[in-house]
Amino acid sequence: MGFKTEFNWALKLKPEQGLDENKIEIDKIYSFNKDEYRIYPVDMPIDLLNKNWEAIGRVIIVESTNKENKTIGKYKVLKIYETEEKELLSKYWKKK
């Protein structure tokens, strides 16, 4: 007996999961929620991606909890990618 768990090295979010690309700010903490159980590295920088696999910025997960087949947590924005970085990193993630 067991359950499915994903190990994620990027935080990919849709607006309904806690991403508002137009209002994101450096050093602010935002909440997120995902279906199913997911494991994220805590206090380690990872990429924040939108639903189209476009790189938005660099974040750290500050809190993550799995319960009732959901993952809820909080992330802090460290950096918002500029045009060149965003294009390069988006190409990387879209090739995966």
Side-chain angles (χ1 to χ4, degrees):
M1 186 167 177
F3 59 92
K4 179 182 172 187
T5 302
E6 284 188 25
F7 288 83
N8 296 142
W9 291 95
L11 181 60
K12 182 175 172 271
L13 297 174
K14 300 174 187 173
E16 60 270 19
Q17 294 172 317
L19 177 63
D20 186 345
E21 292 181 60
N22 299 320
K23 294 184 180 178
I24 196 166
E25 295 179 41
I26 295 172
D27 289 330
K28 294 264 180 146
I29 295 176
Y30 300 91
S31 297
F32 72 91
N33 63 78
K34 301 279 284 183
D35 289 335
E36 302 181 351
Y37 296 118
R38 297 163 191 273
I39 306 293
Y40 294 97
V42 176
D43 292 330
M44 177 181 283
I46 60 173
D47 286 327
L48 174 64
L49 311 172
N50 68 16
K51 66 180 181 177
N52 299 316
W53 292 93
E54 295 167 334
I56 304 303
R58 199 75 166 155
V59 301
I60 57 171
I61 304 295
V62 295
E63 182 181 302
S64 180
T65 303
N66 293 308
K67 65 180 180 180
E68 299 174 4
N69 203 34
K70 293 200 178 289
T71 302
I72 57 171
K74 295 182 179 179
Y75 65 96
K76 180 178 179 181
V77 179
L78 302 176
K79 178 179 186 172
I80 298 171
Y81 292 136
E82 298 296 328
T83 306
E84 190 174 312
E85 284 177 306
K86 183 174 183 166
E87 289 174 9
L88 180 67
L89 290 165
S90 295
K91 284 181 185 178
Y92 168 80
W93 286 109
K94 288 179 181 183
K95 286 184 179 183
K96 292 233 160 232

